[in-house]
Amino acid sequence: MITEHDADHIIALDAGLGLERTDRMVMIQIFTQSGRTTEVKQRVYHTIAKQLEALGISGEDVFISIMENGPQDWSFGHGRAQYTEGVLPVPGL
């Protein structure tokens, strides 16, 4: 899902890191099932930042968050939990 917001509608503090954000900031939130290692997540962050850098977006303007959950936290329709019902195989198992 991609949404675009006016620059004055986003507050992205640098958390004391001295980041100089611009109006080209990109915020990415990844929803996924738990189980990836810290190293895998760091590679994802690095890869995304490098690919956006090739498009002219500074690394200081790349803000990424990974939200993890389990199979019981997903419903793909009809109010059913397809992973826990066994209708869909749980990825990685």
Side-chain angles (χ1 to χ4, degrees), residues 5-87:
H5 302 275
D6 292 334
D8 61 342
H9 290 166
I10 300 291
I11 299 171
L13 303 176
D14 73 2
L17 299 172
L19 300 172
E20 296 290 330
R21 303 222 193 260
T22 72
D23 62 355
R24 293 180 52 92
M25 191 182 75
V26 175
M27 297 179 87
I28 298 172
Q29 190 166 43
I30 300 168
F31 294 93
T32 187
Q33 292 203 28
S34 60
R36 275 97 179 156
T37 65
T38 298
E39 292 79 17
V40 167
K41 293 174 188 176
Q42 289 173 323
R43 280 198 312 267
V44 167
Y45 302 147
H46 179 77
T47 300
I48 290 171
K50 284 295 181 193
Q51 289 179 351
L52 289 173
E53 184 178 63
L55 299 174
I57 297 171
S58 166
E60 290 184 315
D61 281 330
V62 180
F63 188 112
I64 304 169
S65 172
I66 295 179
M67 306 291 292
E68 294 183 319
N69 55 41
Q72 71 279 5
D73 300 312
W74 292 82
S75 172
F76 294 95
H78 301 290
R80 297 176 56 198
Q82 288 86 352
Y83 286 143
T84 57
E85 293 175 358
V87 176

